[in-house]
């Protein structure tokens, strides 16, 4: 079957969808696109379901060779993408002709680009999802969760919908120098942190650490002090802001463990998680409190954009 | 059971807290709450993650707002009847206990002041309750372990623990379903598959199940399809600190 052939795999290109749900009680992680908003817009550009399977390209280094023509969509990070050496700006729908190459170099803005295919990529769901989780050997092209590898063939079965262009200001990343503010629904053990720590949590320019991946993102800044008792492990929601003994928060993302025993300030909203997933190490971010109800309203508005 | 609390932990998730401490006696109530919450939320439930003392309810915000979700939890917890023990499955897991695949047999024997055979006999002497699944697909936290076998986690976790490795940490025991990193003390290996995409319900163990280990020979282990390759890395010295 003809499709896009992986000529150069790069460090981390993964097939992702909206994630694996209904099996977390078995210890299976959620997975799915870390910047689910960008995947949603890429799919919207082709008339797909918002979380139809696509490729999440982290950092770049991927080259795809087209054996057959296709209409594709690209959103998310600017990884210096080119179509036969012509620059391709993220936030677009484009056609690739047979014999052309789509290449990603290195991050200029953001970390993760999303590539959508007509009707979504072909892959067999495992436990209800094609989301690739390398650690658990679930999902992806072969069902074993592995990263895209040289020689892999990406195929699709659907057709692209009518031409669409993104509404202004969506599907791309905020510009340089724009303050990154991440909404946090306070809760969990927040009352057991010192008053100073809660103040500092929301009034500090936190720095994204080098230790950042699909499991979690570590922030560095003032040391936060938990004053409660030792905890018994409990279920962890997406975006949970956990504070281990060193006082430096870790925000848990899609591939987090299902249960854990560190105290938490609450959880970032899923929208804030998608924004965080695009922050390069060294970026400064601010946490801002939001009520669960208000966060829900904003989230539902996002979903409504995709119809 | 004390009065349960319902705690907001995120935009679309609540923690239902039934107990404060790990205890086998929690299980009938935890199982009852699991069933009641699944029933009460129905289609509006995205995930329900029980742990030792709590259940995380991840609900669909397109169907429910926070108040409605809290109301469903309260309703579900009314008139909870503990699920009687014996409803969970019972498993007997054959284990080849040997220092080549379970290097910490030595250390635990030393702590016990006995032989490796003593460690094996004690590990096999009781039924363990499955408290929770987590860490990896199908990884079951079980207890309570004989006090005399309780051993702290390794100071530095191993990069690779073989699938089927039978492990001990503090007063809990577990089996690694797949090759993974891990900081628990390894005492043996089983050929039994714990997690599979083709298995009914995917995971062999479920919370509330009872598990007993049974010592078998190297020959029997291999006959059952076990891989006798020694655990490559030696564990380092244990620490009293939690890993």
């Amino acid at each position: 079957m003809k499709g896009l052939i992986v000529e150069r795999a790069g460090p981390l290109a993964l097939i992702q969808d909206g994630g694996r749900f209904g099996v977390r009680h078995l210890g299976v992680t959620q997975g799915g696109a870390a910047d689910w908003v960008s995947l949603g817009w890429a799919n919207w550009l082709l008339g797909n379901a918002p979380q139809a399977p696509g490729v999440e390209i982290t950092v770049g280094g991927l080259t795809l060779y087209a054996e057959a023509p296709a209409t594709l969509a690209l959103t998310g990070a600017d990884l210096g993408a080119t179509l036969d050496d012509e620059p391709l700006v993220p936030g677009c729908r484009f056609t690739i002709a047979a014999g052309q190459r789509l290449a990603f170099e290195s991050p200029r803005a953001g970390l993760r680009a999303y590539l959508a295919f007509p009707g979504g990529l072909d892959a067999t769901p495992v436990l209800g999802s094609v989301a690739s989780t390398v650690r658990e050997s679930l999902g992806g092209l072969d069902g074993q969760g592995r990263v895209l590898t040289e020689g892999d063939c990406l195929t699709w079965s659907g057709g692209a919908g009518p031409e669409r262009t993104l509404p202004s200001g969506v599907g791309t990343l905020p510009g340089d120098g724009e303050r990154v503010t991440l909404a946090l629904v306070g809760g969990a053990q927040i009352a057991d942190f010192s008053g100073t720590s809660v103040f500092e949590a929301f009034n500090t320019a936190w720095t994204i650490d080098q230790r950042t991946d699909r499991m979690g993102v570590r922030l560095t800044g003032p040391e936060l002090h938990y004053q409660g008792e030792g905890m018994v492990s409990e279920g962890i929601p997406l975006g949970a802001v956990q504070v281990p003994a060193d006082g430096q928060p870790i925000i848990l993302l899609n591939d987090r463990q299902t249960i854990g025993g560190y105290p938490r300030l609450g959880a970032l909203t899923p929208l804030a998680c998608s924004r965080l997933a695009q922050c390069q190490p060294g970026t400064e971010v601010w946490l801002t409190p939001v009520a669960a109800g208000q966060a829900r309203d904003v989230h539902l508005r996002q979903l409504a954009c995709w119809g | 059971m004390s009065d349960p609390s319902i705690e907001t932990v995120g935009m679309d998730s609540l923690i239902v807290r039934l107990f404060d401490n790990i205890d086998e006696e929690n299980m009938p109530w935890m199982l009852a709450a699991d069933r009641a919450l699944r029933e009460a939320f129905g289609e509006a439930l995205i995930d329900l993650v029980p742990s030792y003392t709590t259940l995380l309810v991840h609900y669909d915000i397109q169907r429910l707002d926070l108040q409605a979700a809290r109301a469903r939890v309260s309703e579900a917890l009314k008139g909870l009847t503990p699920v009687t023990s014996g409803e969970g499955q019972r498993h007997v897991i054959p284990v080849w206990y040997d220092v080549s695949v379970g290097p910490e047999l030595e250390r635990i024997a030393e702590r016990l002041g006995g032989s490796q055979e003593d460690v094996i006999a004690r590990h096999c002497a009781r039924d363990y309750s499955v408290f929770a699944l987590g860490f990896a697909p199908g990884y079951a936290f079980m207890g309570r372990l004989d006090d005399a076998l309780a051993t702290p986690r390794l100071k530095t976790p191993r990069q690779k623990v073989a699938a089927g490795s039978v492990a001990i940490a503090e007063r809990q025991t577990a089996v690694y379903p797949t090759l993974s990193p891990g900081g628990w003390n390894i005492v043996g290996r089983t050929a039994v598959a714990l997690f599979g995409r083709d298995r009914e319900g995917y995971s062999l163990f479920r919370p509330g199940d009872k598990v007993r280990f049974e010592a078998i020979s190297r020959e029997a282990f291999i006959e059952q399809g076990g891989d006798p390759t020694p655990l490559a890395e030696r564990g380092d010295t244990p620490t009293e600190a939690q890993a």
Side-chain angles (χ1 to χ4, degrees), chain B residues 87-109:
Chain B
E87 282 195 40
Q89 284 198 331
R90 303 184 76 84
H91 309 274
V92 177
I93 302 298
V95 178
W96 175 39
Y97 293 92
D98 189 86
V99 283
S100 66
V101 292
E104 276 78 60
L105 262 181
E106 271 177 351
R107 172 178 307 148
I108 297 171

Side-chain angles (χ1 to χ4, degrees), chain B residues 39-242:
Chain B
E39 196 169 317
F41 278 78
E43 293 280 294
L45 187 70
I46 292 179
D47 265 299
L48 181 64
V49 189
S51 187
Y52 302 88
T53 56
T54 56
L55 300 103
L56 177 81
V57 181
H58 177 190
Y59 58 92
D60 183 353
I61 59 160
Q62 290 186 275
R63 295 169 188 265
L64 300 175
D65 64 11
L66 179 61
Q67 287 68 31
R70 282 179 167 272
R72 289 213 189 179
V73 173
S74 302
E75 196 56 36
L77 296 179
K78 271 183 198 159
L80 218 51
T81 319
V83 173
T84 52
S85 61
E87 282 195 40
Q89 284 198 331
R90 303 184 76 84
H91 309 274
V92 177
I93 302 298
V95 178
W96 175 39
Y97 293 92
D98 189 86
V99 283
S100 66
V101 292
E104 276 78 60
L105 262 181
E106 271 177 351
R107 172 178 307 148
I108 297 171
E110 272 170 35
R111 289 173 62 95
L112 179 69
S115 66
Q116 292 175 23
E117 285 68 31
D118 294 335
V119 174
I120 297 165
R122 282 179 186 258
H123 193 246
C124 293
R126 59 172 75 178
D127 287 342
Y128 300 106
S129 286
V130 175
F131 291 129
L133 299 188
F135 175 65
Y139 190 98
F141 293 88
M142 299 180 254
R144 295 288 241 173
L145 198 68
D146 187 331
D147 243 337
L149 297 182
T151 307
R153 288 166 176 77
L154 304 178
K155 191 171 168 188
T156 308
R158 286 186 173 88
Q159 290 298 312
K160 286 179 180 175
V161 177
S165 291
V166 177
I168 285 173
E170 304 299 344
R171 287 198 63 196
Q172 295 192 81
T173 186
V175 184
Y176 285 82
T178 51
L179 179 74
S180 74
W184 289 33
N185 301 278
I186 311 298
V187 296
R189 197 177 291 175
T190 180
V192 174
L194 300 182
F195 191 88
R197 62 193 65 185
D198 302 320
R199 175 193 292 283
E200 167 92 33
Y202 307 122
S203 174
L204 178 64
F205 298 142
R206 295 299 184 110
D209 285 0
K210 297 280 187 194
V211 178
R212 183 180 279 259
F213 296 101
E214 181 184 73
I216 58 168
S217 66
R218 178 190 160 95
E219 290 70 31
F221 170 73
I222 291 171
E223 200 167 297
Q224 290 169 7
D227 175 1
T229 308
L231 207 57
E233 287 170 79
R234 304 291 294 185
D236 62 1
T237 48
T239 167
E240 297 303 320
Q242 291 274 321

